[in-house]
Amino acid sequence: DAGVTQSPTHLIKTRGQQVTLRCSPISGHKSVSWYQQVLGQGPQFIFQYYEKEERGRGNFPDRFSARQFPNYSSELNVNALLLGDSALYLCASSLSLRGGNTIYFGEGSWLTVV
Amino acid sequence: QQQVKQSPQSLIVQKGGIPIINCAYENTAFDYFPWYQQFPGKGPALLIAIRPDVSEKKEGRFTISFNKSAKQFSLHIMDSQPGDSATYFCAAQNAGGTSYGKLTFGQGTILTVHP
């Protein structure tokens, strides 16, 4: 069975540009979350979506936005990129909103901002 | 209030040793505590998880010990192997909160197991 899939795996952008990252959850999973992992640190929660609605937002600026589609896939958008946005962006999926459900992570999209 | 503090930052053991990684939290609303293992270039993978109504949980060579009163929990890896060399993250979730999918992670521990 396919796990959480993310694309692209690596990308390089210039300051001020915009980026879109994509995620397909595990089949049957309706909840998708996004995390940012800066080198040497633990992942930081950005968003959670369930049934196409935003259900949680972390402490990130409005430059970060996301959406979930009817097939439960998701996109994370980051506008006006800053050097500090360089990180591994992880998508995670879980079966439902219920706490304690296993949260599965994809392998991430490496974003470098130059 | 939302932090999870993890120590040590790095750990080196010999094959067969028992590395211990510790985590502490402040938010008493946390009620689900998973541990993730992450290899270079990969996403975190769930290793083992515990709820606060249990003081210990064991799965294979991995054991979580949980001290609710001290708000601390730890991961023990029995008979460690070179293949266990990875970064380990503790995490906490408020399963009854409004951000059900939000995991709060510790800073990570880089484990190296020498042959």
Side-chain angles (χ1 to χ4, degrees), chain A residues 35-46:
Chain A
Y35 289 77
Q36 180 196 63
Q37 186 176 19
V38 174
L39 201 61
Q41 296 183 19
Q44 297 289 317
F45 174 77
I46 309 175

Side-chain angles (χ1 to χ4, degrees), chain B residues 64-92:
Chain B
I64 301 178
S65 298
F66 191 88
N67 186 331
K68 187 175 181 179
S69 60
K71 291 184 285 186
Q72 295 176 349
F73 58 109
S74 59
L75 176 71
H76 297 64
I77 305 175
M78 311 301 287
D79 187 27
S80 59
Q81 301 296 314
D84 296 329
S85 297
T87 301
Y88 292 81
F89 292 97
C90 62

Side-chain angles (χ1 to χ4, degrees), chain A residues 2 46 70 88 97-99 106 112:
Chain A
I46 309 175
L88 176 66
L97 279 179
R98 266 186 63 193
T112 301

Side-chain angles (χ1 to χ4, degrees), chain B:
Chain B
Q1 188 75 2
Q2 292 293 321
Q3 278 187 327
V4 175
K5 295 184 179 179
Q6 183 172 347
S7 63
Q9 201 170 5
S10 62
L11 191 52
I12 299 173
V13 300
Q14 293 295 125
K15 178 182 173 183
I18 306 175
I20 301 172
I21 304 170
N22 301 297
C23 286
Y25 64 98
E26 289 295 325
N27 187 349
T28 55
F30 287 145
D31 53 6
Y32 176 68
F33 301 89
W35 284 87
Y36 282 83
Q37 179 188 56
Q38 187 176 29
F39 292 105
K42 302 290 186 182
L46 180 67
L47 206 52
I48 185 173
I50 197 168
R51 292 186 181 274
D53 53 350
V54 175
S55 61
E56 185 175 280
K57 183 174 181 180
K58 184 176 180 179
E59 288 185 4
R61 296 184 294 108
F62 301 94
T63 300
I64 301 178
S65 298
F66 191 88
N67 186 331
K68 187 175 181 179
S69 60
K71 291 184 285 186
Q72 295 176 349
F73 58 109
S74 59
L75 176 71
H76 297 64
I77 305 175
M78 311 301 287
D79 187 27
S80 59
Q81 301 296 314
D84 296 329
S85 297
T87 301
Y88 292 81
F89 292 97
C90 62
Q93 182 186 50
N94 177 4
T98 55
S99 293
Y100 308 100
K102 177 182 178 181
L103 287 170
T104 301
F105 282 86
Q107 298 89 334
T109 296
I110 301 171
L111 172 65
T112 303
V113 181
H114 285 150

Side-chain angles (χ1 to χ4, degrees), chain A residues 9-104:
Chain A
T9 54
H10 294 80
L11 68 165
I12 300 173
K13 291 286 188 177
T14 304
R15 274 179 299 176
Q17 285 188 315
Q18 175 263 345
V19 67
T20 298
L21 308 177
R22 296 175 177 82
C23 171
S24 293
I26 293 171
S27 177
H29 284 194
K30 299 182 178 181
S31 174
V32 170
S33 300
W34 287 93
Y35 289 77
Q36 180 196 63
Q37 186 176 19
V38 174
L39 201 61
Q41 296 183 19
Q44 297 289 317
F45 174 77
I46 309 175
F47 287 111
Q48 183 189 18
Y49 276 78
Y50 180 75
E51 293 284 9
K52 296 174 290 179
E53 288 189 10
E54 181 183 305
R55 296 302 187 103
R57 171 185 282 257
N59 188 23
F60 280 81
D62 292 343
R63 298 184 296 108
F64 289 76
S65 64
R67 55 180 176 169
Q68 186 177 34
F69 298 100
N71 65 354
Y72 304 111
S73 67
S74 178
E75 285 183 354
L76 174 70
N77 295 282
V78 186
N79 294 321
L81 285 167
L82 303 174
L83 295 180
D85 295 331
S86 297
L88 176 66
Y89 288 86
L90 294 162
C91 176
S93 79
S94 60
L95 204 53
S96 70
L97 279 179
R98 266 186 63 193
N101 268 303
T102 298
I103 296 175
Y104 298 89

